[in-house]
Amino acid sequence: MSEGTGFPSFFEETLRSERGAQEAERVLEGMRGPRAVTLRANALKTDAAHVAEALGAAGIAFERAPFYEDAFILKDAREGDIRALPMYVNGEIYLQSLSSMLPPLALCPRENADILDMAAAPGGKTTQMAALTHGKASVTACEINRIRAEKLKHNLLLQGAGRVSVMVRDARKMEDFFRFDQILLDAPCSGSGTMLLSDTGSYRAFSRALVKNSAVLQLELFKKALSILKAGGEMVYSTCSIFMEEDEAVVKAALKGARAEIVPISLPAMEALPLLTPALEGAVCVRPTPLYEGFFMVRIRKLK
Ligand code: SAM
């Protein structure tokens, strides 16, 4: 892709300075759009075999994702086609990007664990963690925005995620007596990894200030997560930004002086994922492609 793609110039300049010309070019290629519609079979209500059968019956062609049996990649379907299906209406499937299915898998949520989803709405990853633990973990889903929290509650109900309690508040202000075995911090971010050239709305709000402000908030949330994580517990920090200011730099700042370490992420079929050259050992940054959004993840263990 040549100079001047239509994205804000700050976006391209940052990308080139952080990633180098060649890798930046591959990222921009992957952001031309459109991106495939993907969904997750909700194991709390159905299974992947049933979803495959129902998609076939509806004449919707699909492929399976290499890293997760519940993930489906649709061919030529639009989101509207999926929303009209009975299995969407009754919560047996959830429209979710492939990349956003990765952080819960990286966390490996455990049955009977106390889990915090620190920035949870609309609940794609909360419901996925409930499904991965067969509804047996106790999940707390925190969300600051009241309207988004209502959407979260609706999704929890629809998806049959019973053992989830919703906290509508600023996660930075959670009382210090809270302790969790596992925490997912899917942080608010600039969305630099999700932008598509074919969709101007996907980057209308993008700005230098958004990146800067996001990084400040992310660090505050990260530090809070470390303080309420049990010693020996694990957390995953993820963003849908591919900018180091919101990713690697936040992780390094949060870990400075903390009794915590990075634990390398291991996912099934990881070699099949399009990854950017790692800039922080053990972390993973997914490169945007026609299938995947750009996404950053790191797994942290708090030392005993
Ligand atoms: N994990 C969600 C999912 O998979 O559906 C997406 C989360 S989205 C990236 C980040 C969310 O964090 C937004 O809903 C935003 O309103 C919320 N948020 C922002 N600041 C927050 C704060 N200080 N405390 C709690 N939630 C916050």
Side-chain angles (χ1 to χ4, degrees), residues 94 96 100 117-126 142-145 148 169-172 184 186-189 217 221 240:
Y94 188 86
Q96 190 172 350
S100 99
D117 189 350
M118 205 166 174
K125 299 181 191 68
T126 320
C142 186
E143 169 58 45
I144 196 170
N145 181 300
R148 288 177 66 85
R169 61 178 305 179
D170 185 338
R172 291 172 294 179
L184 175 64
D186 183 42
C189 71
L217 175 57
L221 286 164
C240 57

Side-chain angles (χ1 to χ4, degrees), residues 176-194:
D176 285 323
F177 58 72
F178 281 109
R179 284 291 176 275
F180 295 93
D181 301 302
Q182 298 185 290
I183 297 178
L184 175 64
L185 171 52
D186 183 42
C189 71
S190 69
S192 71
T194 62

Side-chain angles (χ1 to χ4, degrees), residues 159-279:
Q159 303 262 306
R163 286 193 73 191
V164 181
S165 45
V166 175
M167 229 183 224
V168 187
R169 61 178 305 179
D170 185 338
R172 291 172 294 179
K173 297 189 178 147
M174 283 179 73
E175 286 78 6
D176 285 323
F177 58 72
F178 281 109
R179 284 291 176 275
F180 295 93
D181 301 302
Q182 298 185 290
I183 297 178
L184 175 64
L185 171 52
D186 183 42
C189 71
S190 69
S192 71
T194 62
M195 300 181 346
L196 285 175
L197 197 58
S198 58
D199 174 11
T200 49
S202 70
Y203 54 90
R204 195 169 292 133
F206 183 81
S207 69
R208 194 187 294 266
L210 180 62
V211 173
K212 210 169 159 31
N213 295 339
S214 298
V216 172
L217 175 57
Q218 288 155 354
L219 181 56
E220 289 171 359
L221 286 164
F222 202 137
K223 285 184 172 169
K224 185 71 196 186
L226 281 177
S227 78
I228 56 177
L229 185 62
K230 285 184 190 169
E234 313 99 37
M235 67 173 276
V236 164
Y237 171 75
S238 60
T239 75
C240 57
S241 176
I242 50 172
F243 278 179
M244 292 184 189
E245 188 174 346
E246 297 177 76
D247 298 335
E248 290 86 350
V250 171
V251 181
K252 282 182 193 159
L255 292 188
K256 204 169 177 189
R259 285 190 45 76
E261 63 184 8
I262 295 176
V263 183
I265 287 178
S266 126
L267 293 165
M270 208 152 143
E271 65 291 344
L273 295 175
L275 299 183
L276 288 167
T277 312

